[in-house]
Amino acid sequence: MSDTLPRHPPGLRVIFFTEMWERFSYYGMRALLVLYLVNALGMPRADALALYGLYTGLVYVTPLIGGALADRWLGARRAAVAGALIMMLGHFAMAFEPLLHLALGLLIVGNGFFKPNSTSMVGMLYAPGDPRRAGGYTIFYMGVNLGAFLAPLVAGTLGERLGWHYGFASAGVGMAIGSVVLWRGQHRLGDAGLRPGQPPLGGLADARLMVALCVAAVAGVGTVLAVWPWVQAGWQALPAAGQAVLGLAGLAAAVAAVARPPAGAAPLTAAERGRLVAIGIVAFFVVFFWMGFEQAGGSMTLFADTQTDRHAFGQEIPASWFQAINPLAIIVLAPLFSAGWTALDRSRFALSDPAKQGWGMVVLGLGFVVMVMAQQRAEVQGTVGPQWLAMVYLLHTMGELMLSPVGLSLVSAAAPARLAGLLMGLWMAAIGVANYLAGALEGLLAGSGIPLFAFLLGSSLGAGALLLLASPWLARQLRRVD
């Protein structure tokens, strides 16, 4: 890196490659899951999308618990390593059909430990007010998307061409590499991810702790699976409104249970409470963004599989490859967006972080304009060319770059230090609600006469407009200091 550019902490490289391999494993598995359920296991489309939504939803809800446990007990670094090891077990279990549900459960638990803490450790590398923080998160986000780009090409190709379980096993190998990178490279992290007075990982005590957490994860998931039929029967007996109320009440109870400041900590100040309220409101709005965006691994993948002409140069492109467009576009566009935000922030046209996110939701809605047109043409012609999905993915990527890295930086900068892991977990939980809705939405709309993509067009544009209207007040709350 030249002397004219800000030099980032050496620990950023460690987290970059750890996250790259973790995202390789996650997106490799995601690229195959719905196709595997429908084409290999013969699961009905609606059931496959519902399971996909439940899995991806819980993957983002469990960080609420993992972030709180790290804040109160483990520390972010140990929590991230434990999560990586548990996810590694889950990915390898996916290679065996009878272990499908155990594997999904381990991936959900492991991600709960890993995701909020690896993300919050990026912010811990920088001092308060360090102007390099936003750039660091952009670099981190490029690592995320480098792994996400490679995943469909490697795991997707292995899964669709050689055998589903080879694809899932390759995701496990990626997670194993990520675990080694984090453990061996932790000397570059300084104190990031360690509680006050906590030593770096190492020694027999930490090895025993990791084994104990992995065993506890397997036992916990097994217990949940044993009682799940009774839980599912009770849930399905409720009307849709009852399910929504119970789900929101459960999420609120989880937030209340972990939101208490640790024993002996000072109470929150008025400014901190204002920032927390603003983070919560923005998190509510971005549910509508991710509910649309996460159609990529569900309904849009099935559209690629059955309604897209995938032949090129005498070969048929695997349906999972379309999921590589988004991360490739991010790798290309992220530096341009980072430079563009810097230039805009220095001008009289500067936008607040909530306003940037509002415009991101509007751009997502424009992608669904294209998707509605593609669906209409496919219903008449049978299939459409691949350029339609490519355009949708490109627009959705532009919206993501306006919303996601900005949101991560917003939470990292505005959250009180003692609640950093919890609030990053809360942000992930909002994405989890959106992921669940992304999978369940097609079933919820059944019989309403409202096409899925048309509904998402309206929800994206409407929520984006409301967030833009609220952005001046939200920006003031996020800037509050005592």
Side-chain angles (χ1 to χ4, degrees):
M1 189 176 293
S2 71
D3 294 336
T4 61
L5 295 175
R7 187 179 297 275
H8 288 276
L12 182 61
R13 179 176 298 181
V14 176
I15 301 177
F16 176 98
F17 284 108
T18 301
E19 190 74 16
M20 182 195 80
W21 283 111
E22 188 276 330
R23 291 290 89 182
F24 172 89
S25 70
Y26 174 79
Y27 283 101
M29 188 270 192
R30 192 189 80 156
L32 293 172
L33 181 57
V34 170
L35 295 173
Y36 171 68
L37 295 175
V38 172
N39 295 336
L41 301 187
M43 189 175 289
R45 173 190 171 104
D47 292 344
L49 289 174
L51 181 58
Y52 167 80
L54 181 62
Y55 161 68
T56 56
L58 290 175
V59 154
Y60 282 97
V61 170
T62 51
L64 183 65
I65 301 171
L69 288 175
D71 288 341
R72 295 169 183 270
W73 172 45
L74 281 172
R77 191 180 302 184
R78 280 170 172 77
V81 171
L85 294 173
I86 294 168
M87 282 191 290
M88 180 185 70
L89 295 177
H91 282 300
F92 284 129
M94 281 294 299
F96 304 93
E97 183 178 321
L99 299 180
L100 171 65
H101 293 97
L102 175 64
L104 293 177
L106 290 174
L107 292 171
I108 289 165
V109 172
N111 194 82
F113 279 106
F114 182 88
K115 191 61 179 174
N117 295 299
S118 67
T119 303
S120 62
M121 277 197 294
V122 176
M124 296 176 190
L125 296 173
Y126 301 90
D130 191 326
R132 300 175 299 169
R133 181 191 300 264
Y137 269 107
T138 299
I139 293 171
F140 167 81
Y141 210 64
M142 290 181 69
V144 167
N145 286 281
L146 179 58
F149 168 68
L150 294 173
L153 303 182
V154 177
T157 302
L158 288 172
E160 291 192 63
R161 295 285 173 80
L162 190 59
W164 299 105
H165 305 305
Y166 289 99
F168 293 132
S170 71
V173 172
M175 193 66 257
I177 295 173
S179 303
V180 172
V181 168
L182 180 57
W183 191 296
R184 295 291 300 273
Q186 63 169 317
H187 64 281
R188 297 178 178 269
L189 299 176
D191 293 332
L194 298 177
R195 290 169 54 81
Q198 190 179 42
L201 280 94
L204 187 58
D206 279 323
R208 287 174 174 169
L209 175 63
M210 296 301 141
V211 171
L213 289 171
C214 289
V215 171
V218 173
V221 172
T223 301
V224 171
L225 292 176
V227 302
W228 185 253
W230 289 276
V231 174
Q232 188 176 35
W235 178 262
Q236 292 176 345
L238 293 172
Q243 292 177 353
V245 170
L246 186 60
L248 290 174
L251 181 60
V255 172
V258 299
R260 293 182 297 105
L268 295 174
T269 66
E272 288 175 331
R273 288 195 297 271
R275 298 201 302 272
L276 292 182
V277 169
I279 290 172
I281 293 173
V282 174
F284 169 78
F285 274 103
V286 300
V287 166
F288 293 92
F289 178 89
W290 294 110
M291 180 177 68
F293 184 88
E294 282 300 323
Q295 299 299 319
S299 61
M300 288 170 59
T301 292
L302 293 176
F303 186 90
D305 187 43
T306 61
Q307 295 181 282
T308 300
D309 182 0
R310 295 181 280 114
H311 291 87
F313 306 108
Q315 300 291 324
E316 185 177 47
I317 302 170
S320 56
W321 280 22
F322 283 88
Q323 293 186 50
I325 297 173
N326 166 254
L328 176 61
I330 286 181
I331 293 169
V332 173
L333 295 177
L336 301 179
F337 270 79
S338 180
W341 288 139
T342 300
L344 188 65
D345 290 343
R346 292 173 177 172
S347 73
R348 61 190 181 94
F349 301 106
L351 295 174
S352 67
D353 285 348
K356 293 173 184 175
Q357 293 175 304
W359 282 114
M361 297 181 71
V362 170
V363 173
L364 180 83
L366 297 179
F368 282 116
V369 171
V370 178
M371 198 68 222
V372 167
M373 296 170 62
Q375 181 71 70
Q376 292 172 343
R377 293 173 73 94
E379 289 174 356
V380 174
Q381 302 174 3
T383 60
V384 297
Q387 71 274 12
W388 288 92
L389 270 181
M391 178 60 68
V392 175
Y393 275 112
L394 181 60
L395 286 168
H396 284 189
T397 299
M398 295 172 65
E400 181 185 6
L401 284 169
M402 295 178 180
L403 182 136
S404 188
V406 172
L408 294 176
S409 180
L410 179 156
V411 175
S412 175
R418 61 188 182 276
L419 296 177
L422 168 66
L423 287 172
M424 195 62 74
L426 178 62
W427 188 261
M428 301 297 173
I431 300 175
V433 172
N435 275 263
Y436 172 74
L437 292 173
L441 193 58
E442 187 168 297
L444 293 174
L445 292 174
S448 69
I450 304 174
L452 172 66
F453 297 127
F455 176 86
L456 290 166
L457 187 162
S459 65
S460 303
L461 293 179
L466 289 174
L467 183 55
L468 286 171
L469 289 173
S471 62
W473 181 85
L474 290 169
R476 288 195 298 272
Q477 296 303 310
L478 291 167
R479 290 194 299 264
R480 286 183 63 180
V481 295
D482 290 299

